[in-house]
Amino acid sequence: MRIRTAATAAGGTLALLTVLAPAAQADSHKGDTTFTSVTFSKTTVNVGVSAAQSLTVVATAKDGSGIRGIYGGKLVSPDARIAFPDSASCTRPSSTTMKCTWKYTLDANDTDDYADLKNSNAGTWHLDAEANDHDFYTLDTSKSVKVKRYAKLTATQASPEPVVKGRTLTVTGTLTRANWNTNVYAGYSAQRVALQFKKSGASTYSTVKTVTTDSTGKLKTTVTANSAGTWRWKFAGTSTTSAVTATGDSAALK
């Protein structure tokens, strides 16, 4: 996560130097100042151990007498870590509105180690910004984005192949996720993962059973091979970890 000084609107530059934010409060406002729109380029940012991910936030505020400036533009993690934008630019679409665009980089392996994402940072991040005239509107918790640890599933393995109809087929796989503290993918234990099957000639998968990963993230189960088709694992994700679907493995009958 690259941490930069946040440039703001027409009033100039507001230097934000703290690393930890105070506890989030509810949005607050006075008068007719309001944010008319806040959009995120992604609803969820899935970050692995090496490739940085980008995020853009665009906010428009309005006040009957005009906006003096939009200040802040910080993203705050669940454990109060602050990410400042790499860049910020603001325009005045009309005499009563201001529009600001902030661009961020989220990274678990930045060149500056102190700025790297940590596991405790995963979850819901909130935009912290204030539109100000003589009145004000402060965004504290209402606008958010998910920042999750990227998950992987190894290609599904179903054996033996081909299998005698009615006999047992063993299906295996491994679920891992990014460890932002160590910059490696590690087994994700005690997670429920769906085993799905698509019959040959069909277009959709259906869930056959749900299997829990072991202490190293491994998956293993047996099924009865009644039809030829493709088997795959599908993980729905969690509040801190991305969803992922494994490459399927076709099993023919003999």
Side-chain angles (χ1 to χ4, degrees), residues 19 52 57-58 66-67 72 114 142 235 239:
V19 175
V57 182
V58 180
I67 300 291
Y114 76 91
S142 64
F235 177 57
S239 61

Side-chain angles (χ1 to χ4, degrees), residues 42-54:
K42 303 172 184 176
T43 58
T44 301
V45 184
N46 298 318
V47 184
V49 300
S50 58
Q53 301 296 313
S54 62

